Each structure stands twice: as C-alpha cells, then as structure tokens.
Amino acid sequence: MPASDRSSILVTGGAGFIGSHTAYLLRERGYPVLVYDRLSNGACPAALVEPLVRADLTDTQALEAAMREHKVEAVIHFAASIEVGESVRAPLAYYQNNVAGSLALLAAMHRQGLDKLVFSSTAAVYGNAAFDPIPERAPFAPSSPYGHSKAAVEQILADHCATGGLNATALRYFNAAGAAPDWGLGERHQPETHLIPLVIQAALGQREQVSIYGSDYPTPDGTCVRDYIHVKDLAEAHILALEMLLDGGHRGYRAFNLGTGQGLSVRQIIEAVREESLRRGDRDFLVEEQARRQGDPARLVADASAARSALTWHPHFSDLQTIVGDAYRFFAELTP
Ligand code: UDP
C-alpha cells in the first residue's frame, strides 16, 4: 500500500531531538504523521512539527481522542525524560514520565485496538557491560534511574507482546548525534550536557571552555570511547522498524542496537570540532582535563549486526566529519 493511503503514525515526543527528525523523514516518505508532545523542554519549535497535539501521555482522554480522530495505525514512542544525571537526582519524575507514561500509552493503544509500536530505548539499559562490542543479548545492568526506567519499559513491552496484544520493536541507541540543518532540525537541550553540542558552543564563543571528564581511562588516549550515530541514520532505522510492523513482517517483541560499531574518544571528538571550527574561521577554545564523571563506563560500542541484517539498516551519515559538520552548521546557522 502506498504510504500516503495509510492512516496516521502517532509520534510521541515528536518535538524532541530524535523524534522531530523521524517525524520529518516519515512525512518525506509520504506518511501522515501526528506529533504528540507536551513541549516541556523546548527542543523543537512547534511550527516545525504540525500537526501537533500538545498534551501529556498520562492524559488518556487527549491521547485516545488523537488516536481516534487521526485514525492512528501505529505508534513511534519517543516521549521520555533523558538526562542520566537528572534521573539520579529526581528518580520519581523519571519513573513517572518514562514508565507510567508508557503504561498509559500502552493502555490507550490497547483500548483503541492498536497493536504496532516502535519504542525508543537506549544503550543505557546495558550499564557497564562486560561485552565489547555490546550485542543485544548482553544482560541488562543499568547504572541510573534513567537506564532502569527504559529497561522496565522494555520488560513491560516483552510481557505485553507475549500475550499477543502487541507487536513491538525497541531500538537501543548508542550516542545519538549530528543534526539535519537542511531540514531545519537539530539538537536543543536545556541545559546542554552532551559532548558534541558543548564543544561546538565553545568553538562559537558561547562557552568559556570544554571539560574532558576523565583522562585516565584504559583507552588509547585515556578518554572515554563512545559509538556516535547520526540522527538521520536513527530516523531511518525507525522507519524500517515501523514498515516491518506495518507489513506484518514482524510479530511479537524484539530489540535492536543502533550504532556504527566504531568507537570514538572524547579527544577525537574535540579535535574534529576544532578542525571544523578552524576551517570556518571560528575561534579556538580551551580544553581542561577534569575528574571522571560519575557512572561513565570507559567504552561503549554497539554490535549492531542484527539491525543491519534483520532491518536492512545501514548508516550513511555517521562518519565523524558528517556528524560534526551537520551539528556545527545547525548551531552556527540555525540556533538563535
Ligand atoms: N564528556 C566530556 N565533557 C563534557 C561532556 C561529556 O568529557 O563536557 C564525555 C562524557 O564523560 C562521555 C562522553 O563525553 O564519556 C559522551 O558524553 P555525552 O554526555 O555526550 O553522552 P553519554 O555517553 O553520557 O550518553
């Protein structure tokens, strides 16, 4: 069936970083999209995500009315609180938003007869994994309330799918990065805690300096290694997972890692931003080595071979230059 003949795809959290890029790409592919977001962190201007229902997930009246009125056929569920550090300080809010919010969504879907869901999960479910690279079979050992809340939702999804009441795919992202300046979209967090935006803001003179959290890790240059994946590649993976559900190519529950399998250190990221900054004639910036940030594992790299084979997903934008170049352009040219 052509995508434009379908009923709507509901994107919860569709004004957030990954949600807004996925909603945009869905529309590009001809899917009718309805964004459901409470706009609590100002990630994306509302005008970019029309049509929008501005409400909380636990507002089941609004949620079910949206599902009925827009003939929703499937849901991509991003809406969640996502800051590891904040989750340690405010765990109840994290369980409320992430677990209670997801339960409310699942109950509403059940009442409305909807049985197709793509869930935004995270590598944080693995915690300090004993695997390198990390496959999906690595046990869950989250090290923060954020990670626990996402692991809890995955468990709920698996149990619910086992009853036959739902077909769901969870996508566990490693480090989401990059931007789509050509779509007018990028990463806006308040406050910003992520490495790439922070370094770019320093290069643009919006921050005094960059901090390296820990230079004594057992890694080649002593700084933490992560698997950075471009948000456009993440958006594509959600559409592939959705299409497999819509076409009946997948029933029950399953989960995929999304990453490149390539590890990059904090210093490599800083150097790539510095190069881009010098290329653009922006300023150089100070880098200060500080103590380790609590709870940061030395190395987190995905084994994403399952997503490549089962979803036929292949990252096209996740080389370091494209990630940094796109994020830089977004901050330099599109961020007020
Ligand atoms: N990091 C850093 N300085 C910063 C912010 C982050 O050295 O100002 C490091 C952090 O310790 C981690 C990596 O950069 O090893 C990526 O951190 P980020 O918060 O972007 O993502 P996370 O890996 O925590 O999901």
Side-chain angles (χ1 to χ4, degrees):
M1 192 193 303
S4 54
D5 292 351
R6 294 196 185 278
S7 29
S8 297
I9 309 302
L10 184 77
V11 182
T12 78
F17 175 37
I18 306 165
S20 61
H21 290 74
T22 303
Y24 185 100
L25 193 59
L26 278 167
R27 286 201 186 91
E28 285 277 298
R29 301 279 164 86
Y31 287 95
V33 174
L34 178 64
V35 169
Y36 191 96
D37 198 301
R38 62 183 190 184
L39 302 183
S40 55
N41 69 358
C44 178
L48 288 178
V49 291
E50 291 290 332
L52 163 76
V53 174
R54 184 175 184 176
D56 195 273
L57 278 179
T58 54
D59 182 349
T60 45
Q61 271 192 346
L63 190 52
E64 290 188 54
M67 288 172 172
R68 276 192 309 272
E69 284 161 22
H70 290 262
K71 297 197 191 67
V72 168
E73 182 180 12
V75 178
I76 307 185
H77 177 33
F78 293 98
S81 300
I82 57 154
E83 287 301 331
V84 170
E86 187 185 50
S87 79
V88 175
R89 294 189 295 277
L92 297 188
Y94 271 66
Y95 289 111
Q96 174 63 33
N97 287 338
N98 297 0
V99 182
S102 297
L103 279 172
L105 172 67
L106 291 173
M109 288 178 67
H110 190 65
R111 282 192 294 271
Q112 295 300 319
L114 301 181
D115 67 353
K116 298 176 186 70
L117 178 80
V118 179
F119 175 59
S120 165
S121 190
T122 168
V125 296
Y126 300 120
N128 213 337
F131 290 79
D132 184 18
I134 303 174
E136 289 83 357
R137 68 173 191 285
F140 282 6
S143 55
S144 70
Y146 167 68
H148 277 291
S149 73
K150 289 284 184 176
V153 176
E154 281 212 37
Q155 185 63 52
I156 291 166
L157 291 178
D159 293 343
H160 189 28
C161 286
T163 69
L166 183 72
N167 302 297
T169 302
L171 299 176
R172 298 176 187 154
Y173 329 136
F174 281 64
N175 284 60
D182 41 334
W183 303 350
L185 296 174
E187 189 167 9
R188 292 182 181 91
H189 296 117
Q190 269 320 331
E192 189 52 74
T193 62
H194 294 98
L195 178 65
I196 295 176
L198 288 172
V199 184
I200 292 172
Q201 287 169 359
L204 291 172
Q206 297 164 5
R207 289 181 189 273
E208 282 303 305
Q209 60 181 45
V210 172
S211 301
I212 295 181
Y213 295 144
S215 50
D216 58 349
Y217 282 97
T219 57
D221 68 17
T223 65
C224 285
V225 170
R226 295 289 180 273
D227 184 337
Y228 294 87
I229 180 84
H230 197 295
V231 64
K232 282 184 172 177
D233 286 326
L234 291 178
E236 183 69 46
H238 288 78
I239 293 179
L240 290 169
L242 172 77
E243 289 180 338
M244 205 159 269
L245 289 167
L246 293 174
D247 297 344
H250 164 63
R251 300 196 66 77
Y253 176 71
R254 62 183 175 178
F256 295 108
N257 288 340
L258 298 180
T260 61
Q262 302 284 322
L264 292 168
S265 73
V266 172
R267 284 194 214 279
Q268 284 177 296
I269 296 286
I270 292 173
E271 283 319 306
V273 175
R274 201 193 298 279
E275 268 172 39
E276 181 67 17
S277 150
L278 294 177
R279 200 182 62 76
R280 288 171 154 266
D282 289 340
R283 62 168 225 165
D284 203 358
F285 49 87
L286 289 176
V287 177
E288 191 179 75
E289 294 184 10
Q290 295 199 354
R292 293 181 178 194
R293 192 172 68 175
Q294 205 189 345
D296 271 340
R299 184 179 155 89
L300 288 176
V301 174
D303 174 349
S305 51
R308 286 201 300 277
S309 54
L311 293 178
T312 63
W313 176 70
H314 300 284
H316 294 296
F317 303 101
S318 293
D319 58 282
L320 180 56
Q321 279 68 30
T322 306
I323 284 179
V324 166
D326 283 350
Y328 205 113
R329 216 184 114 207
F330 173 73
F331 280 106
E333 297 168 21
L334 292 171
T335 307

PDB file of all heavy atoms in Angstrom, residues 131-159:
ATOM      1  N   PHE A 131      30.665  -6.832  27.676  1.00  0.00           N
ATOM      2  CA  PHE A 131      30.860  -7.197  26.269  1.00  0.00           C
ATOM      3  C   PHE A 131      31.460  -6.015  25.503  1.00  0.00           C
ATOM      4  O   PHE A 131      31.151  -4.872  25.804  1.00  0.00           O
ATOM      5  CB  PHE A 131      29.522  -7.516  25.604  1.00  0.00           C
ATOM      6  CG  PHE A 131      28.883  -8.788  26.070  1.00  0.00           C
ATOM      7  CD1 PHE A 131      28.207  -8.833  27.275  1.00  0.00           C
ATOM      8  CD2 PHE A 131      28.937  -9.931  25.296  1.00  0.00           C
ATOM      9  CE1 PHE A 131      27.593  -9.996  27.692  1.00  0.00           C
ATOM     10  CE2 PHE A 131      28.316 -11.103  25.706  1.00  0.00           C
ATOM     11  CZ  PHE A 131      27.644 -11.137  26.922  1.00  0.00           C
ATOM     12  N   ASP A 132      32.279  -6.316  24.507  1.00  0.00           N
ATOM     13  CA  ASP A 132      32.802  -5.257  23.645  1.00  0.00           C
ATOM     14  C   ASP A 132      33.071  -5.824  22.257  1.00  0.00           C
ATOM     15  O   ASP A 132      33.988  -6.619  22.101  1.00  0.00           O
ATOM     16  CB  ASP A 132      34.095  -4.688  24.234  1.00  0.00           C
ATOM     17  CG  ASP A 132      34.604  -3.520  23.405  1.00  0.00           C
ATOM     18  OD1 ASP A 132      33.815  -2.952  22.612  1.00  0.00           O
ATOM     19  OD2 ASP A 132      35.787  -3.196  23.542  1.00  0.00           O
ATOM     20  N   PRO A 133      32.309  -5.487  21.244  1.00  0.00           N
ATOM     21  CA  PRO A 133      31.141  -4.614  21.269  1.00  0.00           C
ATOM     22  C   PRO A 133      29.957  -5.292  21.970  1.00  0.00           C
ATOM     23  O   PRO A 133      29.988  -6.498  22.206  1.00  0.00           O
ATOM     24  CB  PRO A 133      30.837  -4.369  19.790  1.00  0.00           C
ATOM     25  CG  PRO A 133      31.358  -5.606  19.107  1.00  0.00           C
ATOM     26  CD  PRO A 133      32.567  -6.024  19.884  1.00  0.00           C
ATOM     27  N   ILE A 134      28.928  -4.489  22.243  1.00  0.00           N
ATOM     28  CA  ILE A 134      27.802  -4.975  23.041  1.00  0.00           C
ATOM     29  C   ILE A 134      26.692  -5.501  22.124  1.00  0.00           C
ATOM     30  O   ILE A 134      26.140  -4.746  21.322  1.00  0.00           O
ATOM     31  CB  ILE A 134      27.243  -3.826  23.905  1.00  0.00           C
ATOM     32  CG1 ILE A 134      28.354  -3.245  24.794  1.00  0.00           C
ATOM     33  CG2 ILE A 134      26.071  -4.306  24.747  1.00  0.00           C
ATOM     34  CD1 ILE A 134      27.931  -2.007  25.570  1.00  0.00           C
ATOM     35  N   PRO A 135      26.365  -6.791  22.248  1.00  0.00           N
ATOM     36  CA  PRO A 135      25.244  -7.327  21.457  1.00  0.00           C
ATOM     37  C   PRO A 135      23.940  -7.207  22.248  1.00  0.00           C
ATOM     38  O   PRO A 135      23.965  -6.927  23.456  1.00  0.00           O
ATOM     39  CB  PRO A 135      25.631  -8.798  21.296  1.00  0.00           C
ATOM     40  CG  PRO A 135      26.380  -9.110  22.563  1.00  0.00           C
ATOM     41  CD  PRO A 135      27.023  -7.830  23.051  1.00  0.00           C
ATOM     42  N   GLU A 136      22.824  -7.456  21.599  1.00  0.00           N
ATOM     43  CA  GLU A 136      21.527  -7.351  22.275  1.00  0.00           C
ATOM     44  C   GLU A 136      21.388  -8.364  23.404  1.00  0.00           C
ATOM     45  O   GLU A 136      20.615  -8.152  24.341  1.00  0.00           O
ATOM     46  CB  GLU A 136      20.369  -7.547  21.280  1.00  0.00           C
ATOM     47  CG  GLU A 136      20.174  -6.400  20.313  1.00  0.00           C
ATOM     48  CD  GLU A 136      21.083  -6.458  19.099  1.00  0.00           C
ATOM     49  OE1 GLU A 136      21.934  -7.386  19.015  1.00  0.00           O
ATOM     50  OE2 GLU A 136      20.958  -5.580  18.221  1.00  0.00           O
ATOM     51  N   ARG A 137      22.131  -9.478  23.327  1.00  0.00           N
ATOM     52  CA  ARG A 137      21.961 -10.490  24.369  1.00  0.00           C
ATOM     53  C   ARG A 137      22.697 -10.134  25.668  1.00  0.00           C
ATOM     54  O   ARG A 137      22.556 -10.817  26.672  1.00  0.00           O
ATOM     55  CB  ARG A 137      22.427 -11.858  23.877  1.00  0.00           C
ATOM     56  CG  ARG A 137      23.903 -11.961  23.647  1.00  0.00           C
ATOM     57  CD  ARG A 137      24.362 -13.385  23.322  1.00  0.00           C
ATOM     58  NE  ARG A 137      25.805 -13.463  23.377  1.00  0.00           N
ATOM     59  CZ  ARG A 137      26.631 -12.977  22.459  1.00  0.00           C
ATOM     60  NH1 ARG A 137      26.138 -12.400  21.379  1.00  0.00           N
ATOM     61  NH2 ARG A 137      27.936 -13.080  22.602  1.00  0.00           N
ATOM     62  N   ALA A 138      23.478  -9.066  25.673  1.00  0.00           N
ATOM     63  CA  ALA A 138      24.150  -8.638  26.915  1.00  0.00           C
ATOM     64  C   ALA A 138      23.076  -8.367  27.969  1.00  0.00           C
ATOM     65  O   ALA A 138      22.034  -7.796  27.658  1.00  0.00           O
ATOM     66  CB  ALA A 138      24.966  -7.374  26.661  1.00  0.00           C
ATOM     67  N   PRO A 139      23.325  -8.811  29.209  1.00  0.00           N
ATOM     68  CA  PRO A 139      22.277  -8.633  30.228  1.00  0.00           C
ATOM     69  C   PRO A 139      22.046  -7.171  30.570  1.00  0.00           C
ATOM     70  O   PRO A 139      22.950  -6.349  30.458  1.00  0.00           O
ATOM     71  CB  PRO A 139      22.834  -9.393  31.436  1.00  0.00           C
ATOM     72  CG  PRO A 139      24.268  -9.623  31.157  1.00  0.00           C
ATOM     73  CD  PRO A 139      24.509  -9.507  29.694  1.00  0.00           C
ATOM     74  N   PHE A 140      20.834  -6.863  30.981  1.00  0.00           N
ATOM     75  CA  PHE A 140      20.521  -5.507  31.439  1.00  0.00           C
ATOM     76  C   PHE A 140      21.184  -5.280  32.793  1.00  0.00           C
ATOM     77  O   PHE A 140      21.026  -6.077  33.710  1.00  0.00           O
ATOM     78  CB  PHE A 140      19.010  -5.329  31.625  1.00  0.00           C
ATOM     79  CG  PHE A 140      18.258  -5.119  30.339  1.00  0.00           C
ATOM     80  CD1 PHE A 140      18.880  -5.212  29.113  1.00  0.00           C
ATOM     81  CD2 PHE A 140      16.916  -4.804  30.373  1.00  0.00           C
ATOM     82  CE1 PHE A 140      18.178  -5.013  27.927  1.00  0.00           C
ATOM     83  CE2 PHE A 140      16.188  -4.594  29.198  1.00  0.00           C
ATOM     84  CZ  PHE A 140      16.830  -4.700  27.979  1.00  0.00           C
ATOM     85  N   ALA A 141      21.935  -4.188  32.911  1.00  0.00           N
ATOM     86  CA  ALA A 141      22.528  -3.820  34.201  1.00  0.00           C
ATOM     87  C   ALA A 141      22.605  -2.296  34.262  1.00  0.00           C
ATOM     88  O   ALA A 141      23.694  -1.713  34.330  1.00  0.00           O
ATOM     89  CB  ALA A 141      23.914  -4.435  34.345  1.00  0.00           C
ATOM     90  N   PRO A 142      21.460  -1.609  34.213  1.00  0.00           N
ATOM     91  CA  PRO A 142      21.501  -0.138  34.136  1.00  0.00           C
ATOM     92  C   PRO A 142      22.184   0.449  35.369  1.00  0.00           C
ATOM     93  O   PRO A 142      22.102  -0.127  36.450  1.00  0.00           O
ATOM     94  CB  PRO A 142      20.019   0.269  34.117  1.00  0.00           C
ATOM     95  CG  PRO A 142      19.236  -0.967  33.911  1.00  0.00           C
ATOM     96  CD  PRO A 142      20.089  -2.117  34.312  1.00  0.00           C
ATOM     97  N   SER A 143      22.833   1.590  35.163  1.00  0.00           N
ATOM     98  CA  SER A 143      23.523   2.205  36.296  1.00  0.00           C
ATOM     99  C   SER A 143      22.887   3.536  36.669  1.00  0.00           C
ATOM    100  O   SER A 143      23.495   4.322  37.378  1.00  0.00           O
ATOM    101  CB  SER A 143      25.011   2.393  35.967  1.00  0.00           C
ATOM    102  OG  SER A 143      25.132   3.125  34.782  1.00  0.00           O
ATOM    103  N   SER A 144      21.671   3.801  36.190  1.00  0.00           N
ATOM    104  CA  SER A 144      20.984   5.044  36.567  1.00  0.00           C
ATOM    105  C   SER A 144      19.482   4.796  36.534  1.00  0.00           C
ATOM    106  O   SER A 144      19.012   3.880  35.842  1.00  0.00           O
ATOM    107  CB  SER A 144      21.315   6.155  35.575  1.00  0.00           C
ATOM    108  OG  SER A 144      20.707   5.879  34.331  1.00  0.00           O
ATOM    109  N   PRO A 145      18.725   5.628  37.256  1.00  0.00           N
ATOM    110  CA  PRO A 145      17.265   5.520  37.163  1.00  0.00           C
ATOM    111  C   PRO A 145      16.773   5.669  35.717  1.00  0.00           C
ATOM    112  O   PRO A 145      15.811   5.014  35.324  1.00  0.00           O
ATOM    113  CB  PRO A 145      16.770   6.666  38.052  1.00  0.00           C
ATOM    114  CG  PRO A 145      17.866   6.832  39.053  1.00  0.00           C
ATOM    115  CD  PRO A 145      19.142   6.576  38.290  1.00  0.00           C
ATOM    116  N   TYR A 146      17.452   6.514  34.929  1.00  0.00           N
ATOM    117  CA  TYR A 146      17.068   6.628  33.513  1.00  0.00           C
ATOM    118  C   TYR A 146      17.156   5.267  32.827  1.00  0.00           C
ATOM    119  O   TYR A 146      16.204   4.811  32.185  1.00  0.00           O
ATOM    120  CB  TYR A 146      17.968   7.648  32.811  1.00  0.00           C
ATOM    121  CG  TYR A 146      17.862   7.595  31.314  1.00  0.00           C
ATOM    122  CD1 TYR A 146      16.697   7.974  30.674  1.00  0.00           C
ATOM    123  CD2 TYR A 146      18.923   7.113  30.538  1.00  0.00           C
ATOM    124  CE1 TYR A 146      16.583   7.903  29.291  1.00  0.00           C
ATOM    125  CE2 TYR A 146      18.822   7.041  29.160  1.00  0.00           C
ATOM    126  CZ  TYR A 146      17.657   7.437  28.541  1.00  0.00           C
ATOM    127  OH  TYR A 146      17.543   7.354  27.178  1.00  0.00           O
ATOM    128  N   GLY A 147      18.320   4.604  32.961  1.00  0.00           N
ATOM    129  CA  GLY A 147      18.503   3.296  32.328  1.00  0.00           C
ATOM    130  C   GLY A 147      17.503   2.281  32.859  1.00  0.00           C
ATOM    131  O   GLY A 147      16.936   1.478  32.096  1.00  0.00           O
ATOM    132  N   HIS A 148      17.267   2.307  34.185  1.00  0.00           N
ATOM    133  CA  HIS A 148      16.295   1.380  34.769  1.00  0.00           C
ATOM    134  C   HIS A 148      14.896   1.624  34.206  1.00  0.00           C
ATOM    135  O   HIS A 148      14.140   0.682  33.975  1.00  0.00           O
ATOM    136  CB  HIS A 148      16.252   1.543  36.291  1.00  0.00           C
ATOM    137  CG  HIS A 148      17.338   0.772  36.990  1.00  0.00           C
ATOM    138  ND1 HIS A 148      17.348  -0.601  37.044  1.00  0.00           N
ATOM    139  CD2 HIS A 148      18.437   1.186  37.654  1.00  0.00           C
ATOM    140  CE1 HIS A 148      18.422  -1.005  37.719  1.00  0.00           C
ATOM    141  NE2 HIS A 148      19.103   0.054  38.094  1.00  0.00           N
ATOM    142  N   SER A 149      14.557   2.908  34.019  1.00  0.00           N
ATOM    143  CA  SER A 149      13.195   3.198  33.540  1.00  0.00           C
ATOM    144  C   SER A 149      13.002   2.660  32.124  1.00  0.00           C
ATOM    145  O   SER A 149      11.951   2.112  31.793  1.00  0.00           O
ATOM    146  CB  SER A 149      12.899   4.705  33.620  1.00  0.00           C
ATOM    147  OG  SER A 149      13.604   5.408  32.621  1.00  0.00           O
ATOM    148  N   LYS A 150      14.034   2.769  31.290  1.00  0.00           N
ATOM    149  CA  LYS A 150      13.929   2.258  29.915  1.00  0.00           C
ATOM    150  C   LYS A 150      13.920   0.727  29.913  1.00  0.00           C
ATOM    151  O   LYS A 150      13.198   0.092  29.136  1.00  0.00           O
ATOM    152  CB  LYS A 150      15.089   2.783  29.063  1.00  0.00           C
ATOM    153  CG  LYS A 150      14.978   4.271  28.741  1.00  0.00           C
ATOM    154  CD  LYS A 150      13.935   4.510  27.663  1.00  0.00           C
ATOM    155  CE  LYS A 150      13.845   5.953  27.245  1.00  0.00           C
ATOM    156  NZ  LYS A 150      12.900   6.184  26.140  1.00  0.00           N
ATOM    157  N   ALA A 151      14.741   0.122  30.785  1.00  0.00           N
ATOM    158  CA  ALA A 151      14.756  -1.347  30.875  1.00  0.00           C
ATOM    159  C   ALA A 151      13.401  -1.855  31.354  1.00  0.00           C
ATOM    160  O   ALA A 151      12.900  -2.880  30.869  1.00  0.00           O
ATOM    161  CB  ALA A 151      15.871  -1.789  31.823  1.00  0.00           C
ATOM    162  N   ALA A 152      12.780  -1.125  32.299  1.00  0.00           N
ATOM    163  CA  ALA A 152      11.467  -1.536  32.810  1.00  0.00           C
ATOM    164  C   ALA A 152      10.441  -1.507  31.683  1.00  0.00           C
ATOM    165  O   ALA A 152       9.633  -2.433  31.536  1.00  0.00           O
ATOM    166  CB  ALA A 152      11.043  -0.619  33.957  1.00  0.00           C
ATOM    167  N   VAL A 153      10.484  -0.466  30.868  1.00  0.00           N
ATOM    168  CA  VAL A 153       9.510  -0.387  29.768  1.00  0.00           C
ATOM    169  C   VAL A 153       9.749  -1.529  28.775  1.00  0.00           C
ATOM    170  O   VAL A 153       8.807  -2.150  28.284  1.00  0.00           O
ATOM    171  CB  VAL A 153       9.550   0.985  29.066  1.00  0.00           C
ATOM    172  CG1 VAL A 153       8.598   1.009  27.871  1.00  0.00           C
ATOM    173  CG2 VAL A 153       9.185   2.094  30.047  1.00  0.00           C
ATOM    174  N   GLU A 154      11.016  -1.821  28.496  1.00  0.00           N
ATOM    175  CA  GLU A 154      11.278  -2.953  27.585  1.00  0.00           C
ATOM    176  C   GLU A 154      10.691  -4.245  28.140  1.00  0.00           C
ATOM    177  O   GLU A 154      10.119  -5.060  27.404  1.00  0.00           O
ATOM    178  CB  GLU A 154      12.781  -3.096  27.333  1.00  0.00           C
ATOM    179  CG  GLU A 154      13.322  -2.097  26.325  1.00  0.00           C
ATOM    180  CD  GLU A 154      14.485  -2.667  25.527  1.00  0.00           C
ATOM    181  OE1 GLU A 154      14.474  -3.871  25.183  1.00  0.00           O
ATOM    182  OE2 GLU A 154      15.436  -1.907  25.254  1.00  0.00           O
ATOM    183  N   GLN A 155      10.827  -4.457  29.453  1.00  0.00           N
ATOM    184  CA  GLN A 155      10.272  -5.668  30.064  1.00  0.00           C
ATOM    185  C   GLN A 155       8.743  -5.695  29.928  1.00  0.00           C
ATOM    186  O   GLN A 155       8.141  -6.721  29.607  1.00  0.00           O
ATOM    187  CB  GLN A 155      10.678  -5.748  31.544  1.00  0.00           C
ATOM    188  CG  GLN A 155      10.254  -7.037  32.238  1.00  0.00           C
ATOM    189  CD  GLN A 155      10.934  -8.254  31.610  1.00  0.00           C
ATOM    190  OE1 GLN A 155      12.155  -8.281  31.474  1.00  0.00           O
ATOM    191  NE2 GLN A 155      10.146  -9.248  31.208  1.00  0.00           N
ATOM    192  N   ILE A 156       8.136  -4.539  30.183  1.00  0.00           N
ATOM    193  CA  ILE A 156       6.671  -4.434  30.054  1.00  0.00           C
ATOM    194  C   ILE A 156       6.255  -4.757  28.616  1.00  0.00           C
ATOM    195  O   ILE A 156       5.305  -5.506  28.375  1.00  0.00           O
ATOM    196  CB  ILE A 156       6.204  -3.013  30.458  1.00  0.00           C
ATOM    197  CG1 ILE A 156       6.405  -2.819  31.963  1.00  0.00           C
ATOM    198  CG2 ILE A 156       4.754  -2.778  30.057  1.00  0.00           C
ATOM    199  CD1 ILE A 156       6.311  -1.350  32.414  1.00  0.00           C
ATOM    200  N   LEU A 157       6.997  -4.221  27.658  1.00  0.00           N
ATOM    201  CA  LEU A 157       6.673  -4.479  26.250  1.00  0.00           C
ATOM    202  C   LEU A 157       6.797  -5.966  25.923  1.00  0.00           C
ATOM    203  O   LEU A 157       5.934  -6.555  25.266  1.00  0.00           O
ATOM    204  CB  LEU A 157       7.609  -3.686  25.334  1.00  0.00           C
ATOM    205  CG  LEU A 157       7.432  -2.173  25.335  1.00  0.00           C
ATOM    206  CD1 LEU A 157       8.470  -1.525  24.421  1.00  0.00           C
ATOM    207  CD2 LEU A 157       6.031  -1.792  24.880  1.00  0.00           C
ATOM    208  N   ALA A 158       7.883  -6.586  26.397  1.00  0.00           N
ATOM    209  CA  ALA A 158       8.091  -8.012  26.112  1.00  0.00           C
ATOM    210  C   ALA A 158       6.952  -8.839  26.706  1.00  0.00           C
ATOM    211  O   ALA A 158       6.409  -9.743  26.050  1.00  0.00           O
ATOM    212  CB  ALA A 158       9.443  -8.461  26.671  1.00  0.00           C
ATOM    213  N   ASP A 159       6.563  -8.515  27.937  1.00  0.00           N
ATOM    214  CA  ASP A 159       5.482  -9.272  28.596  1.00  0.00           C
ATOM    215  C   ASP A 159       4.160  -9.066  27.864  1.00  0.00           C
ATOM    216  O   ASP A 159       3.393 -10.010  27.667  1.00  0.00           O
ATOM    217  CB  ASP A 159       5.330  -8.825  30.057  1.00  0.00           C
ATOM    218  CG  ASP A 159       6.545  -9.210  30.897  1.00  0.00           C
ATOM    219  OD1 ASP A 159       7.328 -10.072  30.445  1.00  0.00           O
ATOM    220  OD2 ASP A 159       6.711  -8.637  31.993  1.00  0.00           O
TER     221      ASP A 159
END
